[in-house]
Amino acid sequence: MFIPCHRGGDSAAPDFKGFTLLMPAVSVGNVGQLAIDLVISTLDMPKVGYFYTDCLVPMVGNNPYATAEENSTELSINAEVYSLPSKKLVVLQIRSPFIKNKYRPFCETLLSWVKSSKCARVVLLSSSHAYQRDDEQLLGTPLRYLLTPDLEKAVGGHVKELNWKEMEKIAAYPGISDTDKVLHIPGGGITKLLFTESCSEGIQMAVLLKFCSEGDNIPDAFVLVNYLNEWLQLIKSEVSTSNNSTDPSSQWKIPSSWRLLFGNGLPPALF
């Protein structure tokens, strides 16, 4: 599944032992993917390979993190891997939606790669439909987290110090029985499946998500990446997530590809 890039005659595959794997779920508003863009761009992470998979819609495009004319013509595809050994961080960016009925094979292959590459833990950035929240979820912050039992043992205490809010389980049969509670992440794509599989396979995984709606989701991406930064301290930042700050003085570097996030302007010939 993982194919390394061989640059400058270096044929050795990168070593991810003990690294944190950071990745998005393809979910409502593409918030996780936008937040991952900010991480890769800000930390100037080099590409170390890509995922060869038939589970995602094929795509190819220009380098989304181009900084000069010379590197703007490099090609990018639907699932690429970036690494920063100094922070023990490996990032998988997914740029296209899943093909129908391919969620499960992708999750199985991904988790087997996580095990074989000996990554220490997985952090999944996701989002969920704001309009499908229950009464309890309407209160307070729009940010939530989930930890698998194995990660709870390792970092549960630290996460509690951050005063984060765990994703609530909701009644499986509302109005009939409130005793059976289930995890419900509408609009979350592979989030629930990947999390439950990680729980059963003993993989350390955290899910960080934001309730949001489709639209201009750049502010949501800033809020989610600041939330992630509270825990992992990827950059030194003054920005607080408590007031959903998207302060333009934020130290996150916006990638060049965001200039065309909503397409080109209207052609003057229309008027």
Side-chain angles (χ1 to χ4, degrees), residues 145-162:
Y145 78 94
L146 284 164
L147 300 177
T148 60
D150 286 77
L151 188 57
E152 177 83 55
K153 286 176 200 161
V155 302
H158 177 53
V159 168
K160 280 191 173 58
E161 286 170 20
L162 295 171

Side-chain angles (χ1 to χ4, degrees), residues 121-161:
R121 60 188 174 189
V122 183
V123 180
L124 182 70
L125 300 185
S126 184
S127 50
S128 183
H129 284 300
Y131 74 89
Q132 286 192 253
R133 287 174 290 177
D134 68 3
D135 290 352
E136 195 182 353
Q137 291 171 340
L138 287 165
L139 302 171
T141 174
L143 295 158
R144 294 290 186 278
Y145 78 94
L146 284 164
L147 300 177
T148 60
D150 286 77
L151 188 57
E152 177 83 55
K153 286 176 200 161
V155 302
H158 177 53
V159 168
K160 280 191 173 58
E161 286 170 20

Side-chain angles (χ1 to χ4, degrees), residues 12-25:
D15 179 17
F16 301 134
K17 187 178 180 181
F19 279 41
T20 294
L21 170 64
L22 182 61
M23 63 173 286

